[in-house]
Amino acid sequence: MAEKTFTRKQVAEQGTNKNVLFVINNDVYDVTKFIDEHPGGHEVLIAVTGKDGTEEWEDVGHSLDAKELMVKYKVGTIVAEERVEVKKKQYNWSNNNTTDTSDSGLLSSWKFPLLLGIVVTVLYSYLFT
Ligand code: HEM
């Protein structure tokens, strides 16, 4: 089944107070029927109608339940040439971790347990032999 595609201009034109349509992570959602049930209130959803609400959505830190629920309101995706890179905020720290500190830190990888083993062995031989 081919997914419906939208340009950002189409979302801007079709998204109104009465037809609450917005973009989150390159997908298009129509929450017109959901606004009165939204735990965060209808105003915030109407505020992003016709726009890209990815940042606002991420800032709230929506739960897994909310993520499962939003699938129900997905009506399409943004055309390939207008998609933006989806930032994975929660993984940034671990990316930095692997690139920046690489293998050099004392506490990283196998070095710390090895050092601890040597210290314990030396102490043991001093104390008990
Ligand atoms: C299809 C889209 C959306 C769905 C299904 C959805 C669903 C939900 C749900 C289930 C909650 C309750 C808390 C949780 O489970 O995380 C919630 C809270 C909230 N949402 Fe949404 N939401 C959507 C889009 C948005 C957008 C675009 C915004 C901002 C512009 C927004 C702002 C909020 C706020 C401010 C709260 C209240 C958080 C709190 O009280 O701590 N939501 N939403």
Side-chain angles (χ1 to χ4, degrees), residues 23-85:
V23 181
I24 295 177
N25 289 334
N26 299 315
D27 289 330
V28 181
Y29 296 88
D30 182 341
V31 293
T32 311
K33 295 201 173 74
F34 174 64
I35 56 171
D36 290 331
E37 292 166 42
H38 182 228
H42 61 275
E43 298 93 345
V44 288
L45 299 184
I46 291 172
V48 292
T49 188
K51 301 186 189 142
D52 190 319
T54 307
E55 220 168 282
E56 289 84 349
W57 157 269
E58 297 287 353
D59 282 350
V60 172
H62 280 87
S63 67
L64 196 62
D65 274 355
K67 282 175 191 150
E68 281 169 9
L69 188 66
M70 79 194 291
V71 177
K72 235 171 95 177
Y73 299 100
K74 184 173 161 187
V75 290
T77 57
I78 288 295
V79 291
E81 54 276 20
E82 289 183 9
R83 296 173 74 85
V84 291
E85 198 193 328

